Amino acid sequence: MNALHLAWFLGSLLIVGLAGYALYLWRQVWARQRAQTQAERERQERIGGDLQILAGSLLEGQLPLIEGAIRIKVLLDNYDSQLSRDQRCEVFHLLFEATAEVPTHAAWKALDKQQRRQHEKRFNELELQHKAAARSAARWLLDEGLEQPRKRA
């Protein structure tokens, strides 16, 4: 009987030890989940702030329309895909797609003057055609659109 009690005691001790270790591991999982949730919340706030700055700059004329539309579209995709697909933001997607083939950075600098002028002419045409819609979309984002994700969260 003495050996049976010892085995039962050791088995119980082993179970308690494993349960304690499992609890320790679950606490680590929960802490990581909280940290990931906090990091995602901070990311959303940062992108939302960037979107507000870009939309405001676009409205105030401090940012070229095409550049602003491209930047807003990319950030919207990362901020809230549902908001990005909203019909009122369609102009940002349209301008993004219309300029997708335009080289950037060093490739832009490598273009000859005639090629750059052709792209700039296209930019001007797009701006004339879509300026009112882009400004309206930026105003809607500032007034209503960027508030919706916060309400859902």
Side-chain angles (χ1 to χ4, degrees), residues 105-138:
H105 308 299
W108 173 263
K109 292 177 183 177
L111 293 176
D112 63 42
K113 288 183 182 183
Q114 181 182 1
Q115 290 173 315
R116 275 194 236 155
R117 277 191 230 118
Q118 288 174 343
H119 287 301
E120 289 167 349
K121 181 182 177 199
R122 178 70 177 138
F123 294 161
N124 289 333
E125 292 169 357
L126 288 168
E127 185 170 340
L128 287 173
Q129 188 176 5
H130 299 288
K131 186 173 188 174
R135 290 178 56 80
S136 176

PDB file of all heavy atoms in Angstrom, residues 105-138:
ATOM      1  N   HIS A 105      10.825  57.056 -58.991  1.00  0.00           N
ATOM      2  CA  HIS A 105      12.153  57.230 -58.408  1.00  0.00           C
ATOM      3  C   HIS A 105      13.245  57.289 -59.483  1.00  0.00           C
ATOM      4  O   HIS A 105      13.184  58.121 -60.369  1.00  0.00           O
ATOM      5  CB  HIS A 105      12.427  56.160 -57.360  1.00  0.00           C
ATOM      6  CG  HIS A 105      11.346  56.048 -56.336  1.00  0.00           C
ATOM      7  ND1 HIS A 105      10.991  57.074 -55.504  1.00  0.00           N
ATOM      8  CD2 HIS A 105      10.491  55.032 -56.028  1.00  0.00           C
ATOM      9  CE1 HIS A 105      10.003  56.713 -54.720  1.00  0.00           C
ATOM     10  NE2 HIS A 105       9.673  55.471 -55.027  1.00  0.00           N
ATOM     11  N   ALA A 106      14.203  56.392 -59.406  1.00  0.00           N
ATOM     12  CA  ALA A 106      15.345  56.424 -60.329  1.00  0.00           C
ATOM     13  C   ALA A 106      14.892  56.173 -61.767  1.00  0.00           C
ATOM     14  O   ALA A 106      15.439  56.761 -62.705  1.00  0.00           O
ATOM     15  CB  ALA A 106      16.389  55.397 -59.913  1.00  0.00           C
ATOM     16  N   ALA A 107      13.898  55.329 -61.945  1.00  0.00           N
ATOM     17  CA  ALA A 107      13.403  55.047 -63.301  1.00  0.00           C
ATOM     18  C   ALA A 107      12.788  56.301 -63.917  1.00  0.00           C
ATOM     19  O   ALA A 107      12.894  56.528 -65.123  1.00  0.00           O
ATOM     20  CB  ALA A 107      12.391  53.909 -63.269  1.00  0.00           C
ATOM     21  N   TRP A 108      12.126  57.130 -63.104  1.00  0.00           N
ATOM     22  CA  TRP A 108      11.562  58.388 -63.593  1.00  0.00           C
ATOM     23  C   TRP A 108      12.688  59.321 -64.039  1.00  0.00           C
ATOM     24  O   TRP A 108      12.616  59.946 -65.092  1.00  0.00           O
ATOM     25  CB  TRP A 108      10.705  59.047 -62.514  1.00  0.00           C
ATOM     26  CG  TRP A 108      10.220  60.416 -62.878  1.00  0.00           C
ATOM     27  CD1 TRP A 108      10.770  61.602 -62.523  1.00  0.00           C
ATOM     28  CD2 TRP A 108       9.100  60.733 -63.706  1.00  0.00           C
ATOM     29  NE1 TRP A 108      10.061  62.652 -63.065  1.00  0.00           N
ATOM     30  CE2 TRP A 108       9.018  62.144 -63.798  1.00  0.00           C
ATOM     31  CE3 TRP A 108       8.147  59.974 -64.369  1.00  0.00           C
ATOM     32  CZ2 TRP A 108       8.044  62.795 -64.518  1.00  0.00           C
ATOM     33  CZ3 TRP A 108       7.164  60.620 -65.091  1.00  0.00           C
ATOM     34  CH2 TRP A 108       7.112  62.021 -65.169  1.00  0.00           C
ATOM     35  N   LYS A 109      13.721  59.406 -63.224  1.00  0.00           N
ATOM     36  CA  LYS A 109      14.854  60.271 -63.548  1.00  0.00           C
ATOM     37  C   LYS A 109      15.575  59.801 -64.811  1.00  0.00           C
ATOM     38  O   LYS A 109      16.166  60.603 -65.525  1.00  0.00           O
ATOM     39  CB  LYS A 109      15.826  60.342 -62.378  1.00  0.00           C
ATOM     40  CG  LYS A 109      15.258  61.077 -61.179  1.00  0.00           C
ATOM     41  CD  LYS A 109      16.216  61.066 -60.014  1.00  0.00           C
ATOM     42  CE  LYS A 109      15.575  61.760 -58.816  1.00  0.00           C
ATOM     43  NZ  LYS A 109      16.439  61.701 -57.639  1.00  0.00           N
ATOM     44  N   ALA A 110      15.508  58.504 -65.065  1.00  0.00           N
ATOM     45  CA  ALA A 110      16.183  57.950 -66.236  1.00  0.00           C
ATOM     46  C   ALA A 110      15.421  58.212 -67.533  1.00  0.00           C
ATOM     47  O   ALA A 110      15.985  58.066 -68.619  1.00  0.00           O
ATOM     48  CB  ALA A 110      16.385  56.447 -66.049  1.00  0.00           C
ATOM     49  N   LEU A 111      14.164  58.606 -67.439  1.00  0.00           N
ATOM     50  CA  LEU A 111      13.376  58.890 -68.640  1.00  0.00           C
ATOM     51  C   LEU A 111      13.919  60.124 -69.343  1.00  0.00           C
ATOM     52  O   LEU A 111      14.412  61.059 -68.697  1.00  0.00           O
ATOM     53  CB  LEU A 111      11.912  59.146 -68.276  1.00  0.00           C
ATOM     54  CG  LEU A 111      11.096  57.979 -67.726  1.00  0.00           C
ATOM     55  CD1 LEU A 111       9.700  58.470 -67.336  1.00  0.00           C
ATOM     56  CD2 LEU A 111      11.000  56.847 -68.737  1.00  0.00           C
ATOM     57  N   ASP A 112      13.808  60.141 -70.659  1.00  0.00           N
ATOM     58  CA  ASP A 112      14.198  61.362 -71.362  1.00  0.00           C
ATOM     59  C   ASP A 112      13.084  62.392 -71.208  1.00  0.00           C
ATOM     60  O   ASP A 112      11.973  62.078 -70.777  1.00  0.00           O
ATOM     61  CB  ASP A 112      14.532  61.087 -72.834  1.00  0.00           C
ATOM     62  CG  ASP A 112      13.353  60.574 -73.644  1.00  0.00           C
ATOM     63  OD1 ASP A 112      12.236  61.098 -73.480  1.00  0.00           O
ATOM     64  OD2 ASP A 112      13.557  59.651 -74.452  1.00  0.00           O
ATOM     65  N   LYS A 113      13.374  63.625 -71.560  1.00  0.00           N
ATOM     66  CA  LYS A 113      12.437  64.734 -71.325  1.00  0.00           C
ATOM     67  C   LYS A 113      11.110  64.529 -72.051  1.00  0.00           C
ATOM     68  O   LYS A 113      10.055  64.864 -71.518  1.00  0.00           O
ATOM     69  CB  LYS A 113      13.065  66.061 -71.738  1.00  0.00           C
ATOM     70  CG  LYS A 113      14.137  66.523 -70.797  1.00  0.00           C
ATOM     71  CD  LYS A 113      14.684  67.871 -71.207  1.00  0.00           C
ATOM     72  CE  LYS A 113      15.796  68.285 -70.260  1.00  0.00           C
ATOM     73  NZ  LYS A 113      16.309  69.613 -70.578  1.00  0.00           N
ATOM     74  N   GLN A 114      11.159  63.989 -73.238  1.00  0.00           N
ATOM     75  CA  GLN A 114       9.931  63.783 -74.008  1.00  0.00           C
ATOM     76  C   GLN A 114       9.016  62.771 -73.308  1.00  0.00           C
ATOM     77  O   GLN A 114       7.804  62.987 -73.213  1.00  0.00           O
ATOM     78  CB  GLN A 114      10.258  63.308 -75.418  1.00  0.00           C
ATOM     79  CG  GLN A 114       9.017  63.110 -76.278  1.00  0.00           C
ATOM     80  CD  GLN A 114       9.350  62.587 -77.664  1.00  0.00           C
ATOM     81  OE1 GLN A 114      10.505  62.347 -77.992  1.00  0.00           O
ATOM     82  NE2 GLN A 114       8.327  62.411 -78.473  1.00  0.00           N
ATOM     83  N   GLN A 115       9.595  61.701 -72.810  1.00  0.00           N
ATOM     84  CA  GLN A 115       8.786  60.698 -72.102  1.00  0.00           C
ATOM     85  C   GLN A 115       8.187  61.284 -70.829  1.00  0.00           C
ATOM     86  O   GLN A 115       7.027  61.039 -70.509  1.00  0.00           O
ATOM     87  CB  GLN A 115       9.643  59.473 -71.757  1.00  0.00           C
ATOM     88  CG  GLN A 115      10.026  58.646 -72.953  1.00  0.00           C
ATOM     89  CD  GLN A 115      11.000  57.545 -72.571  1.00  0.00           C
ATOM     90  OE1 GLN A 115      11.968  57.776 -71.839  1.00  0.00           O
ATOM     91  NE2 GLN A 115      10.742  56.342 -73.073  1.00  0.00           N
ATOM     92  N   ARG A 116       8.990  62.057 -70.103  1.00  0.00           N
ATOM     93  CA  ARG A 116       8.467  62.701 -68.886  1.00  0.00           C
ATOM     94  C   ARG A 116       7.324  63.654 -69.224  1.00  0.00           C
ATOM     95  O   ARG A 116       6.314  63.673 -68.530  1.00  0.00           O
ATOM     96  CB  ARG A 116       9.574  63.468 -68.163  1.00  0.00           C
ATOM     97  CG  ARG A 116      10.375  62.590 -67.256  1.00  0.00           C
ATOM     98  CD  ARG A 116      11.215  63.422 -66.327  1.00  0.00           C
ATOM     99  NE  ARG A 116      12.584  62.978 -66.519  1.00  0.00           N
ATOM    100  CZ  ARG A 116      13.661  63.691 -66.287  1.00  0.00           C
ATOM    101  NH1 ARG A 116      13.559  64.928 -65.858  1.00  0.00           N
ATOM    102  NH2 ARG A 116      14.849  63.199 -66.475  1.00  0.00           N
ATOM    103  N   ARG A 117       7.492  64.427 -70.274  1.00  0.00           N
ATOM    104  CA  ARG A 117       6.433  65.361 -70.684  1.00  0.00           C
ATOM    105  C   ARG A 117       5.157  64.617 -71.054  1.00  0.00           C
ATOM    106  O   ARG A 117       4.059  65.089 -70.758  1.00  0.00           O
ATOM    107  CB  ARG A 117       6.906  66.236 -71.846  1.00  0.00           C
ATOM    108  CG  ARG A 117       7.708  67.417 -71.357  1.00  0.00           C
ATOM    109  CD  ARG A 117       7.947  68.423 -72.471  1.00  0.00           C
ATOM    110  NE  ARG A 117       9.371  68.723 -72.466  1.00  0.00           N
ATOM    111  CZ  ARG A 117      10.213  68.495 -73.457  1.00  0.00           C
ATOM    112  NH1 ARG A 117       9.790  68.009 -74.596  1.00  0.00           N
ATOM    113  NH2 ARG A 117      11.481  68.793 -73.338  1.00  0.00           N
ATOM    114  N   GLN A 118       5.284  63.473 -71.706  1.00  0.00           N
ATOM    115  CA  GLN A 118       4.093  62.689 -72.057  1.00  0.00           C
ATOM    116  C   GLN A 118       3.355  62.241 -70.791  1.00  0.00           C
ATOM    117  O   GLN A 118       2.129  62.334 -70.718  1.00  0.00           O
ATOM    118  CB  GLN A 118       4.472  61.461 -72.889  1.00  0.00           C
ATOM    119  CG  GLN A 118       4.885  61.786 -74.299  1.00  0.00           C
ATOM    120  CD  GLN A 118       5.392  60.554 -75.046  1.00  0.00           C
ATOM    121  OE1 GLN A 118       5.731  59.538 -74.441  1.00  0.00           O
ATOM    122  NE2 GLN A 118       5.461  60.654 -76.371  1.00  0.00           N
ATOM    123  N   HIS A 119       4.118  61.767 -69.825  1.00  0.00           N
ATOM    124  CA  HIS A 119       3.495  61.347 -68.558  1.00  0.00           C
ATOM    125  C   HIS A 119       2.885  62.552 -67.847  1.00  0.00           C
ATOM    126  O   HIS A 119       1.770  62.461 -67.308  1.00  0.00           O
ATOM    127  CB  HIS A 119       4.508  60.658 -67.647  1.00  0.00           C
ATOM    128  CG  HIS A 119       4.881  59.288 -68.096  1.00  0.00           C
ATOM    129  ND1 HIS A 119       3.980  58.263 -68.251  1.00  0.00           N
ATOM    130  CD2 HIS A 119       6.086  58.768 -68.436  1.00  0.00           C
ATOM    131  CE1 HIS A 119       4.603  57.179 -68.661  1.00  0.00           C
ATOM    132  NE2 HIS A 119       5.890  57.452 -68.781  1.00  0.00           N
ATOM    133  N   GLU A 120       3.592  63.658 -67.819  1.00  0.00           N
ATOM    134  CA  GLU A 120       3.068  64.851 -67.155  1.00  0.00           C
ATOM    135  C   GLU A 120       1.813  65.367 -67.848  1.00  0.00           C
ATOM    136  O   GLU A 120       0.882  65.839 -67.182  1.00  0.00           O
ATOM    137  CB  GLU A 120       4.153  65.933 -67.100  1.00  0.00           C
ATOM    138  CG  GLU A 120       5.256  65.587 -66.118  1.00  0.00           C
ATOM    139  CD  GLU A 120       6.488  66.467 -66.246  1.00  0.00           C
ATOM    140  OE1 GLU A 120       6.599  67.243 -67.237  1.00  0.00           O
ATOM    141  OE2 GLU A 120       7.360  66.369 -65.361  1.00  0.00           O
ATOM    142  N   LYS A 121       1.776  65.260 -69.164  1.00  0.00           N
ATOM    143  CA  LYS A 121       0.570  65.643 -69.898  1.00  0.00           C
ATOM    144  C   LYS A 121      -0.593  64.752 -69.476  1.00  0.00           C
ATOM    145  O   LYS A 121      -1.706  65.232 -69.232  1.00  0.00           O
ATOM    146  CB  LYS A 121       0.807  65.529 -71.405  1.00  0.00           C
ATOM    147  CG  LYS A 121      -0.393  65.925 -72.233  1.00  0.00           C
ATOM    148  CD  LYS A 121      -0.132  65.739 -73.714  1.00  0.00           C
ATOM    149  CE  LYS A 121      -1.399  66.088 -74.476  1.00  0.00           C
ATOM    150  NZ  LYS A 121      -1.401  65.549 -75.808  1.00  0.00           N
ATOM    151  N   ARG A 122      -0.330  63.465 -69.362  1.00  0.00           N
ATOM    152  CA  ARG A 122      -1.372  62.524 -68.918  1.00  0.00           C
ATOM    153  C   ARG A 122      -1.807  62.853 -67.493  1.00  0.00           C
ATOM    154  O   ARG A 122      -2.993  62.813 -67.172  1.00  0.00           O
ATOM    155  CB  ARG A 122      -0.857  61.079 -69.017  1.00  0.00           C
ATOM    156  CG  ARG A 122      -1.833  60.047 -68.553  1.00  0.00           C
ATOM    157  CD  ARG A 122      -3.005  59.916 -69.504  1.00  0.00           C
ATOM    158  NE  ARG A 122      -3.871  58.843 -69.023  1.00  0.00           N
ATOM    159  CZ  ARG A 122      -5.184  58.915 -69.010  1.00  0.00           C
ATOM    160  NH1 ARG A 122      -5.799  59.964 -69.489  1.00  0.00           N
ATOM    161  NH2 ARG A 122      -5.895  57.921 -68.546  1.00  0.00           N
ATOM    162  N   PHE A 123      -0.865  63.211 -66.626  1.00  0.00           N
ATOM    163  CA  PHE A 123      -1.203  63.615 -65.256  1.00  0.00           C
ATOM    164  C   PHE A 123      -2.142  64.809 -65.265  1.00  0.00           C
ATOM    165  O   PHE A 123      -3.127  64.844 -64.517  1.00  0.00           O
ATOM    166  CB  PHE A 123       0.038  63.974 -64.447  1.00  0.00           C
ATOM    167  CG  PHE A 123       0.980  62.835 -64.162  1.00  0.00           C
ATOM    168  CD1 PHE A 123       2.292  63.093 -63.805  1.00  0.00           C
ATOM    169  CD2 PHE A 123       0.573  61.513 -64.248  1.00  0.00           C
ATOM    170  CE1 PHE A 123       3.167  62.059 -63.531  1.00  0.00           C
ATOM    171  CE2 PHE A 123       1.443  60.473 -63.982  1.00  0.00           C
ATOM    172  CZ  PHE A 123       2.741  60.752 -63.628  1.00  0.00           C
ATOM    173  N   ASN A 124      -1.822  65.801 -66.091  1.00  0.00           N
ATOM    174  CA  ASN A 124      -2.658  66.998 -66.171  1.00  0.00           C
ATOM    175  C   ASN A 124      -4.068  66.658 -66.660  1.00  0.00           C
ATOM    176  O   ASN A 124      -5.048  67.204 -66.146  1.00  0.00           O
ATOM    177  CB  ASN A 124      -2.015  68.052 -67.074  1.00  0.00           C
ATOM    178  CG  ASN A 124      -0.790  68.674 -66.443  1.00  0.00           C
ATOM    179  OD1 ASN A 124      -0.661  68.725 -65.222  1.00  0.00           O
ATOM    180  ND2 ASN A 124       0.128  69.140 -67.273  1.00  0.00           N
ATOM    181  N   GLU A 125      -4.157  65.786 -67.661  1.00  0.00           N
ATOM    182  CA  GLU A 125      -5.470  65.369 -68.166  1.00  0.00           C
ATOM    183  C   GLU A 125      -6.276  64.669 -67.070  1.00  0.00           C
ATOM    184  O   GLU A 125      -7.458  64.947 -66.881  1.00  0.00           O
ATOM    185  CB  GLU A 125      -5.312  64.436 -69.366  1.00  0.00           C
ATOM    186  CG  GLU A 125      -4.760  65.089 -70.600  1.00  0.00           C
ATOM    187  CD  GLU A 125      -4.358  64.090 -71.682  1.00  0.00           C
ATOM    188  OE1 GLU A 125      -4.458  62.853 -71.445  1.00  0.00           O
ATOM    189  OE2 GLU A 125      -3.931  64.534 -72.759  1.00  0.00           O
ATOM    190  N   LEU A 126      -5.607  63.761 -66.363  1.00  0.00           N
ATOM    191  CA  LEU A 126      -6.279  63.035 -65.276  1.00  0.00           C
ATOM    192  C   LEU A 126      -6.717  63.993 -64.169  1.00  0.00           C
ATOM    193  O   LEU A 126      -7.804  63.856 -63.614  1.00  0.00           O
ATOM    194  CB  LEU A 126      -5.361  61.952 -64.705  1.00  0.00           C
ATOM    195  CG  LEU A 126      -5.115  60.739 -65.587  1.00  0.00           C
ATOM    196  CD1 LEU A 126      -3.978  59.891 -65.029  1.00  0.00           C
ATOM    197  CD2 LEU A 126      -6.392  59.911 -65.724  1.00  0.00           C
ATOM    198  N   GLU A 127      -5.855  64.951 -63.876  1.00  0.00           N
ATOM    199  CA  GLU A 127      -6.188  65.907 -62.820  1.00  0.00           C
ATOM    200  C   GLU A 127      -7.407  66.742 -63.208  1.00  0.00           C
ATOM    201  O   GLU A 127      -8.315  66.940 -62.397  1.00  0.00           O
ATOM    202  CB  GLU A 127      -4.996  66.805 -62.513  1.00  0.00           C
ATOM    203  CG  GLU A 127      -5.253  67.719 -61.344  1.00  0.00           C
ATOM    204  CD  GLU A 127      -4.007  68.440 -60.868  1.00  0.00           C
ATOM    205  OE1 GLU A 127      -2.887  67.996 -61.167  1.00  0.00           O
ATOM    206  OE2 GLU A 127      -4.180  69.458 -60.171  1.00  0.00           O
ATOM    207  N   LEU A 128      -7.425  67.236 -64.434  1.00  0.00           N
ATOM    208  CA  LEU A 128      -8.580  68.023 -64.892  1.00  0.00           C
ATOM    209  C   LEU A 128      -9.861  67.192 -64.854  1.00  0.00           C
ATOM    210  O   LEU A 128     -10.924  67.676 -64.477  1.00  0.00           O
ATOM    211  CB  LEU A 128      -8.339  68.544 -66.314  1.00  0.00           C
ATOM    212  CG  LEU A 128      -7.341  69.679 -66.448  1.00  0.00           C
ATOM    213  CD1 LEU A 128      -7.070  69.982 -67.918  1.00  0.00           C
ATOM    214  CD2 LEU A 128      -7.843  70.925 -65.726  1.00  0.00           C
ATOM    215  N   GLN A 129      -9.731  65.946 -65.232  1.00  0.00           N
ATOM    216  CA  GLN A 129     -10.892  65.071 -65.323  1.00  0.00           C
ATOM    217  C   GLN A 129     -11.401  64.629 -63.947  1.00  0.00           C
ATOM    218  O   GLN A 129     -12.606  64.466 -63.754  1.00  0.00           O
ATOM    219  CB  GLN A 129     -10.523  63.844 -66.158  1.00  0.00           C
ATOM    220  CG  GLN A 129     -11.656  62.938 -66.508  1.00  0.00           C
ATOM    221  CD  GLN A 129     -11.195  61.800 -67.418  1.00  0.00           C
ATOM    222  OE1 GLN A 129     -10.012  61.643 -67.708  1.00  0.00           O
ATOM    223  NE2 GLN A 129     -12.138  61.000 -67.845  1.00  0.00           N
ATOM    224  N   HIS A 130     -10.507  64.446 -62.976  1.00  0.00           N
ATOM    225  CA  HIS A 130     -10.897  63.811 -61.712  1.00  0.00           C
ATOM    226  C   HIS A 130     -10.664  64.667 -60.465  1.00  0.00           C
ATOM    227  O   HIS A 130     -10.854  64.182 -59.350  1.00  0.00           O
ATOM    228  CB  HIS A 130     -10.148  62.486 -61.556  1.00  0.00           C
ATOM    229  CG  HIS A 130     -10.452  61.514 -62.635  1.00  0.00           C
ATOM    230  ND1 HIS A 130     -11.653  60.863 -62.734  1.00  0.00           N
ATOM    231  CD2 HIS A 130      -9.697  61.098 -63.682  1.00  0.00           C
ATOM    232  CE1 HIS A 130     -11.626  60.068 -63.787  1.00  0.00           C
ATOM    233  NE2 HIS A 130     -10.454  60.196 -64.384  1.00  0.00           N
ATOM    234  N   LYS A 131     -10.265  65.907 -60.650  1.00  0.00           N
ATOM    235  CA  LYS A 131      -9.933  66.749 -59.490  1.00  0.00           C
ATOM    236  C   LYS A 131     -11.126  66.913 -58.545  1.00  0.00           C
ATOM    237  O   LYS A 131     -10.993  66.737 -57.327  1.00  0.00           O
ATOM    238  CB  LYS A 131      -9.445  68.117 -59.942  1.00  0.00           C
ATOM    239  CG  LYS A 131      -8.956  68.981 -58.804  1.00  0.00           C
ATOM    240  CD  LYS A 131      -8.331  70.263 -59.304  1.00  0.00           C
ATOM    241  CE  LYS A 131      -7.685  71.017 -58.157  1.00  0.00           C
ATOM    242  NZ  LYS A 131      -6.948  72.191 -58.641  1.00  0.00           N
ATOM    243  N   ALA A 132     -12.279  67.230 -59.088  1.00  0.00           N
ATOM    244  CA  ALA A 132     -13.455  67.451 -58.235  1.00  0.00           C
ATOM    245  C   ALA A 132     -13.828  66.177 -57.478  1.00  0.00           C
ATOM    246  O   ALA A 132     -14.116  66.221 -56.274  1.00  0.00           O
ATOM    247  CB  ALA A 132     -14.633  67.932 -59.076  1.00  0.00           C
ATOM    248  N   ALA A 133     -13.785  65.040 -58.158  1.00  0.00           N
ATOM    249  CA  ALA A 133     -14.140  63.775 -57.510  1.00  0.00           C
ATOM    250  C   ALA A 133     -13.121  63.416 -56.426  1.00  0.00           C
ATOM    251  O   ALA A 133     -13.488  62.932 -55.348  1.00  0.00           O
ATOM    252  CB  ALA A 133     -14.231  62.654 -58.540  1.00  0.00           C
ATOM    253  N   ALA A 134     -11.835  63.643 -56.695  1.00  0.00           N
ATOM    254  CA  ALA A 134     -10.795  63.329 -55.709  1.00  0.00           C
ATOM    255  C   ALA A 134     -10.918  64.236 -54.487  1.00  0.00           C
ATOM    256  O   ALA A 134     -10.781  63.771 -53.344  1.00  0.00           O
ATOM    257  CB  ALA A 134      -9.408  63.464 -56.338  1.00  0.00           C
ATOM    258  N   ARG A 135     -11.194  65.501 -54.721  1.00  0.00           N
ATOM    259  CA  ARG A 135     -11.367  66.427 -53.596  1.00  0.00           C
ATOM    260  C   ARG A 135     -12.610  66.053 -52.784  1.00  0.00           C
ATOM    261  O   ARG A 135     -12.593  66.086 -51.554  1.00  0.00           O
ATOM    262  CB  ARG A 135     -11.451  67.866 -54.090  1.00  0.00           C
ATOM    263  CG  ARG A 135     -10.120  68.379 -54.634  1.00  0.00           C
ATOM    264  CD  ARG A 135     -10.212  69.799 -55.165  1.00  0.00           C
ATOM    265  NE  ARG A 135     -10.715  70.750 -54.186  1.00  0.00           N
ATOM    266  CZ  ARG A 135      -9.990  71.298 -53.205  1.00  0.00           C
ATOM    267  NH1 ARG A 135      -8.721  70.984 -53.085  1.00  0.00           N
ATOM    268  NH2 ARG A 135     -10.528  72.161 -52.368  1.00  0.00           N
ATOM    269  N   SER A 136     -13.653  65.681 -53.469  1.00  0.00           N
ATOM    270  CA  SER A 136     -14.878  65.262 -52.784  1.00  0.00           C
ATOM    271  C   SER A 136     -14.632  63.999 -51.955  1.00  0.00           C
ATOM    272  O   SER A 136     -15.096  63.891 -50.816  1.00  0.00           O
ATOM    273  CB  SER A 136     -15.982  65.020 -53.819  1.00  0.00           C
ATOM    274  OG  SER A 136     -17.142  64.537 -53.210  1.00  0.00           O
ATOM    275  N   ALA A 137     -13.893  63.056 -52.523  1.00  0.00           N
ATOM    276  CA  ALA A 137     -13.579  61.816 -51.803  1.00  0.00           C
ATOM    277  C   ALA A 137     -12.695  62.105 -50.589  1.00  0.00           C
ATOM    278  O   ALA A 137     -12.896  61.521 -49.513  1.00  0.00           O
ATOM    279  CB  ALA A 137     -12.889  60.826 -52.738  1.00  0.00           C
ATOM    280  N   ALA A 138     -11.730  62.992 -50.756  1.00  0.00           N
ATOM    281  CA  ALA A 138     -10.861  63.353 -49.630  1.00  0.00           C
ATOM    282  C   ALA A 138     -11.670  64.028 -48.526  1.00  0.00           C
ATOM    283  O   ALA A 138     -11.479  63.750 -47.335  1.00  0.00           O
ATOM    284  CB  ALA A 138      -9.728  64.268 -50.112  1.00  0.00           C
TER     285      ALA A 138
END
